[in-house]
Amino acid sequence: MHMRLPVLTPIVTRLQRWSVLDDQDREAILSLPHVVRDLAVHEHIVREGDRPQYSCLLLSGYAYRHKVAGNGGRQIFSIHMRGDLVDLQNSLLKTADHNVQALTKVEAAFIPVEAIKTLAFERPSVGLGLWYETLVDASIFREWTLNVGRRNARTRTAHLLCELALRLDWEGLGSRDGYELPMTQEELGDALALTPVHVNRTLKALGEEGFISRTRRSVTIADWEKLARVGDFDTRYLHIKDALPVPA
Amino acid sequence: MHMRLPVLTPIVTRLQRWSVLDDQDREAILSLPHVVRDLAVHEHIVREGDRPQYSCLLLSGYAYRHKVAGNGGRQIFSIHMRGDLVDLQNSLLKTADHNVQALTKVEAAFIPVEAIKTLAFERPSVGLGLWYETLVDASIFREWTLNVGRRNARTRTAHLLCELALRLDWEGLGSRDGYELPMTQEELGDALALTPVHVNRTLKALGEEGFISRTRRSVTIADWEKLARVGDFDTRYLHIKDALPVPA
DNA sequence: CGACGATTTGAAATCAGTCAAGAGCAGTGG
DNA sequence: CCACTGCTCTTGACTGATTTCAAATCGTCG
């Protein structure tokens, strides 16, 4: 049996992007009550209309937020990965207004919302970090609205591939040059507000133009900067440059 | 000279939707440092890339958030009215990731962000209320993504008209039966991700079908419930039912 | 009255959607 | 080990909602 980092360590790492934590802050985060659970593909983390009692930290795997319109169309708002506090948006408000679901098999820590709220106001550095996390989420939602509303299929698709590349890179889970993309073309369609058929054609075109190559569930990006130009991608909305340097 | 409510009263009213404030909380909010300023139509409140020092409370008039894509297309993310803290999203983060602009002539109170942050953590009830405000904003962004991504022009337009009716009603600035809509069809188009031409045709159709009637800058809604059905409108995302009753 | 921006309308073009069918791939069970 | 099954991916032909282009009308304000 070897040494193992406390389960909630990713929260510390994450919040240190936005505020300076002292030992007590870190200690308080790591000792938050929590339960670790495995979720199957497509399992719901929260359902629209729920009154969530827990917030959820992704320890491995991917999840996504989405909502379904009256005509049956589904819109995905964001993709989440290890280290994301995937349910602050819903759990802090009383009633969940959207669904969060596992995209792949997921390992997640569930933390009582009340404990998080209490901690947020007992320890302002922690609270500020959590608030920032929700604000950066909101920035991503805005960019997706722009993407879906004002960019054509090619640009839109390239934009999504760039965002994932960058976030996975930032999180230390992949690189800008390529990554495992555990989404079907139907799911990509729901994120891009395109039909799966058109996603297929668009990916094919991006491939033929030499911007990407792909296998069933992974993407290779030939030249990130070039793809970013195709995708009208500006990193600002991710607030990477606003983040603090990683502490030693 | 008659008695006048303190300028920042709308903040108190607003935050009391989400948390119980005591006299000290209210006192602290009302005595936040601030400057009141008039803004002309189209004047910027924040520009993308700015490092905002102030947050902005709308005292009268309308404002909107938007971003411009590389192809010149503009996407509006939300419309704001009296009582909205229109710039928490940008000012709490270091760098603004979108623009906020006056839609009409506006009277606004500018409050130093630092004062707000300090207050938020000195007085948890205030902090929680502010956090909720940003979370409800985020919920509105998500709904707009769904609207733009997954609904057709007719439904989408009806949805926007319903949202504005309901929020104006909630704010005590209008009613569900109709209101002043100070947006040009071009601006509506930027909110709906439609061309102004198509907005025109869509409004015309909604009128001919008897759901709305309109003059140049106002809408009358024949039957809000019916329009809500056309617009696939579910109030949940506004979290109205999660709000506390208005204190006596 | 004149001018400018906003609205309205028509006709043509286009991007993305729909429908449909075949091929590929992965997991299951005999 | 292979056949079966079900899902995902791919491609083609056709359709349609929205855009584009263009011109006329309306309203407001100096």
Side-chain angles (χ1 to χ4, degrees):
Chain A
M1 182 103 181
H2 63 87
M3 282 295 291
R4 185 184 291 199
L5 286 173
V7 170
L8 301 185
T9 306
I11 303 185
V12 172
T13 314
R14 184 57 71 91
L15 299 192
Q16 283 181 338
R17 284 181 184 170
W18 313 121
S19 69
V20 177
L21 302 183
D22 62 27
D23 287 341
Q24 286 185 307
D25 293 326
R26 277 187 286 271
E27 186 51 43
I29 293 169
L30 295 177
S31 45
L32 278 167
H34 62 275
V35 182
V36 174
R37 230 159 57 70
D38 286 323
L39 305 181
V41 181
H42 298 150
E43 196 169 334
H44 275 264
I45 294 173
V46 195
R47 253 175 235 276
E48 191 181 341
D50 280 358
R51 302 186 155 252
Q53 309 294 315
Y54 297 90
S55 276
C56 171
L57 167 69
L58 282 191
L59 299 170
S60 70
Y62 294 82
Y64 63 104
R65 297 171 194 281
H66 69 96
K67 225 161 153 173
V68 179
N71 60 13
R74 179 172 72 159
Q75 181 65 49
I76 294 178
F77 307 118
S78 58
I79 305 296
H80 292 281
M81 53 193 66
R82 187 192 70 193
D84 282 344
L85 277 157
V86 91
D87 201 36
L88 286 177
Q89 297 284 341
N90 269 323
S91 62
L92 290 168
L93 292 163
K94 280 182 203 150
T95 313
D97 55 60
H98 64 285
N99 307 287
V100 183
Q101 226 171 323
L103 186 57
T104 60
K105 286 208 292 184
V106 153
E107 201 185 0
F110 289 82
I111 306 164
V113 192
E114 282 312 319
I116 290 186
K117 274 193 201 174
T118 308
L119 179 58
F121 289 102
E122 274 174 358
R123 310 208 64 84
S125 302
V126 176
L128 200 60
L130 289 167
W131 199 353
Y132 271 53
E133 275 292 302
T134 61
L135 290 168
V136 172
D137 277 346
S139 176
I140 293 177
F141 299 146
R142 287 188 292 267
E143 184 69 24
W144 282 43
T145 308
L146 180 65
N147 207 31
V148 161
R150 289 303 183 192
R151 295 189 181 114
N152 64 24
R154 185 179 120 106
T155 308
R156 209 186 288 183
T157 306
H159 191 281
L160 176 59
L161 295 177
C162 285
E163 173 180 320
L164 291 174
L166 209 53
R167 285 176 53 209
L168 287 165
D169 182 31
W170 197 14
E171 205 52 54
L173 295 170
S175 92
R176 294 190 182 199
D177 305 330
Y179 50 91
E180 296 306 307
L181 178 63
M183 297 174 78
T184 64
Q185 293 180 5
E186 182 163 9
E187 288 162 338
L188 285 170
D190 288 341
L192 295 165
L194 294 173
T195 56
V197 173
H198 205 61
V199 169
N200 184 282
R201 296 196 233 266
T202 307
L203 287 174
K204 185 182 171 197
L206 286 172
E208 282 168 353
E209 293 172 274
F211 294 114
I212 60 170
S213 61
R214 65 212 159 87
T215 66
R216 210 175 178 67
R217 286 284 185 282
S218 77
V219 199
T220 311
I221 297 175
D223 179 339
W224 192 87
E225 298 292 344
K226 268 189 196 154
L227 188 64
R229 238 166 291 135
V230 172
D232 188 23
F233 191 88
D234 181 332
T235 65
R236 178 179 288 144
Y237 77 100
L238 294 173
H239 292 274
I240 295 180
K241 285 175 193 149
D242 292 336
L244 301 172
V246 178
Chain B
M1 182 109 181
H2 63 86
M3 283 295 290
R4 186 183 290 198
L5 287 172
V7 170
L8 302 185
T9 305
I11 303 184
V12 172
T13 313
R14 185 57 72 91
L15 299 193
Q16 283 182 335
R17 284 182 183 168
W18 312 121
S19 69
V20 176
L21 302 183
D22 62 26
D23 286 342
Q24 286 186 308
D25 293 326
R26 277 188 287 270
E27 187 50 43
I29 292 169
L30 295 177
S31 46
L32 278 167
H34 63 274
V35 181
V36 174
R37 227 158 60 69
D38 286 324
L39 305 181
V41 182
H42 298 148
E43 196 169 333
H44 275 264
I45 293 173
V46 196
R47 253 174 234 278
E48 192 181 341
D50 280 358
R51 301 184 155 254
Q53 309 294 314
Y54 298 89
S55 276
C56 172
L57 167 70
L58 282 190
L59 299 170
S60 70
Y62 294 83
Y64 62 104
R65 298 170 194 282
H66 73 275
K67 226 161 149 171
V68 178
N71 61 13
R74 179 173 74 157
Q75 181 65 49
I76 293 177
F77 306 117
S78 58
I79 306 295
H80 291 281
M81 53 194 67
R82 185 192 72 192
D84 283 344
L85 277 157
V86 90
D87 201 36
L88 285 176
Q89 297 284 339
N90 269 323
S91 62
L92 290 167
L93 292 162
K94 279 182 205 150
T95 312
D97 56 61
H98 64 285
N99 307 287
V100 182
Q101 227 170 321
L103 186 58
T104 61
K105 288 207 293 183
V106 153
E107 200 185 0
F110 290 82
I111 306 164
V113 192
E114 282 312 318
I116 291 185
K117 275 193 201 173
T118 308
L119 179 58
F121 289 102
E122 274 174 358
R123 311 207 64 85
S125 302
V126 177
L128 200 60
L130 289 166
W131 199 352
Y132 271 53
E133 275 292 303
T134 61
L135 290 168
V136 172
D137 277 346
S139 176
I140 294 177
F141 299 147
R142 287 189 291 268
E143 185 69 24
W144 283 43
T145 308
L146 179 65
N147 208 30
V148 161
R150 289 300 183 196
R151 295 190 181 113
N152 63 24
R154 187 179 118 106
T155 309
R156 210 187 286 183
T157 305
H159 191 282
L160 176 59
L161 294 178
C162 285
E163 173 180 321
L164 291 175
L166 209 52
R167 286 176 53 208
L168 287 165
D169 182 30
W170 197 15
E171 205 51 57
L173 295 170
S175 92
R176 294 191 181 197
D177 305 329
Y179 49 91
E180 297 306 307
L181 178 63
M183 297 174 77
T184 64
Q185 294 181 5
E186 182 163 8
E187 288 162 338
L188 284 169
D190 288 342
L192 295 166
L194 294 172
T195 56
V197 172
H198 205 59
V199 169
N200 184 281
R201 296 196 233 265
T202 307
L203 288 173
K204 187 184 171 194
L206 287 172
E208 283 168 353
E209 292 172 276
F211 294 112
I212 60 170
S213 62
R214 64 210 160 89
T215 65
R216 210 176 179 68
R217 285 286 185 282
S218 76
V219 199
T220 309
I221 298 176
D223 179 339
W224 192 87
E225 299 293 344
K226 268 189 196 152
L227 188 63
R229 238 167 289 135
V230 172
D232 188 23
F233 191 88
D234 179 333
T235 64
R236 179 179 286 144
Y237 77 100
L238 294 173
H239 292 274
I240 294 180
K241 286 175 192 148
D242 293 336
L244 301 173
V246 178

